Amino acid sequence: MWNGVDTRQLYKDRVEVAIDLWDKILRGQIVNRAQLEEELYAEYKRRGIEPFRGFSKIKIYDKEIATVFVVGRYGLGLDDDIIESTKHIFTVEYRCDKAYRLLKKHDFKISENTDLKDMIRELINVPDLGYGLEDRVFRMMRYVFTGTILTFFPEEEFVNTYRALQEIFPELRDVLIRYVKFYVAFKIAEGIVLGQIGDPSERKIFKYVFCVKLNVQRCAPPDRLIREVALRVYKVPKRVLDRLFADLSQGPSNVPTAGSK
């Protein structure tokens, strides 16, 4: 499946897996995060689904648990009591969701709001989210990225989260752009799989137009990342990508991207 589909169909199998896993969680058949990760891995392999990723596969199924949580919280509309009762499983996503909802409540306006900055720092900068500050903030971006790609969150909220986190964590200002590039790579790959991009010139135009749309400077992703996402995640045939990326050299890439996070 790579052509003649709409955006909802692209993620239909992924959403179905999340719903099935929530059924097992609510029945008490999945009781901890490690078990959920194992079940998610098994279901994805059985259905031929690749987790959302770039070049790296480090902890990729643990990161993909964000999909399960977002589908339950915003797709199934599970209530606060259920979310609270499962926070021992969704240790990362529970905190990220609280931070996201807090930012949204304040319209993502951070300037001069010291209390809000402190609350977001306390929610995100904890060992559950990673081994260092960059990993932890990137998990927050991963969470909002997932909700946006699955169309549960408006795209402007992804951009607003990026800008808010830049203000809260100014020491990460230069690296947070990687996650915007990661998102743009996925949107261009979507354009390929949906048949909106048919040749290298359209690919370049689409990238430029999308960055203008987001109004974020330096957000264009490397073409190698776009190709990797299209090939691995969206299963676009290699022959199609060889044509679309005919101008891409075949040398190794060392461009850092959010796919490594």
Side-chain angles (χ1 to χ4, degrees), residues 29-142:
Q29 297 171 354
I30 294 176
V31 298
N32 58 53
R33 189 176 184 90
Q35 189 180 2
L36 175 58
E37 186 178 349
E38 290 175 3
E39 294 270 359
L40 180 61
Y41 173 85
E43 282 299 309
Y44 271 28
K45 289 299 181 184
R46 186 174 72 83
R47 294 179 182 237
I49 302 170
E50 187 74 11
F52 292 136
R53 70 171 182 87
F55 294 112
S56 173
K57 295 184 180 180
I58 297 172
K59 297 188 69 176
I60 197 61
Y61 283 94
D62 182 73
K63 295 172 183 175
E64 189 69 14
I65 288 174
T67 294
V68 182
F69 184 91
V70 166
V71 169
R73 179 67 145 158
Y74 297 95
L76 298 176
L78 299 177
D79 62 33
D80 289 344
D81 289 341
I82 292 176
I83 296 303
E84 286 289 331
S85 70
T86 58
K87 66 182 181 181
H88 65 288
I89 297 176
F90 297 100
T91 50
V92 174
E93 297 73 25
Y94 177 81
R95 282 183 167 273
C96 289
D97 189 61
K98 289 196 68 140
Y100 160 72
R101 291 164 82 91
L102 190 57
L103 287 171
K104 184 173 182 177
K105 179 181 177 181
H106 291 271
D107 296 321
F108 300 90
K109 294 176 181 177
I110 299 298
S111 298
E112 307 305 323
N113 194 335
T114 303
D115 290 342
L116 179 57
K117 289 180 181 179
D118 289 343
M119 285 188 285
I120 298 298
R121 287 191 188 103
E122 288 175 8
L123 282 169
I124 295 176
N125 195 14
V126 295
D128 279 345
L129 269 68
Y131 294 111
L133 181 61
E134 185 176 316
D135 281 347
R136 295 165 188 174
V137 175
F138 268 50
R139 287 304 288 264
M140 174 66 183
M141 286 298 298
R142 168 83 183 203

Side-chain angles (χ1 to χ4, degrees), residues 55 221-226 228 248-257:
F55 294 112
D223 288 333
R224 288 189 177 281
L225 177 59
I226 300 167
E228 181 74 4
L248 187 61
S249 67
Q250 297 303 308
S253 172
N254 60 359
V255 179
T257 71

Side-chain angles (χ1 to χ4, degrees), residues 227-247:
R227 190 183 191 282
E228 181 74 4
V229 170
L231 179 66
R232 307 299 178 188
V233 178
Y234 293 108
K235 315 295 185 183
V236 177
K238 188 175 180 296
R239 70 179 189 282
V240 175
L241 295 175
D242 286 345
R243 185 182 74 247
L244 289 177
F245 293 89
D247 56 336

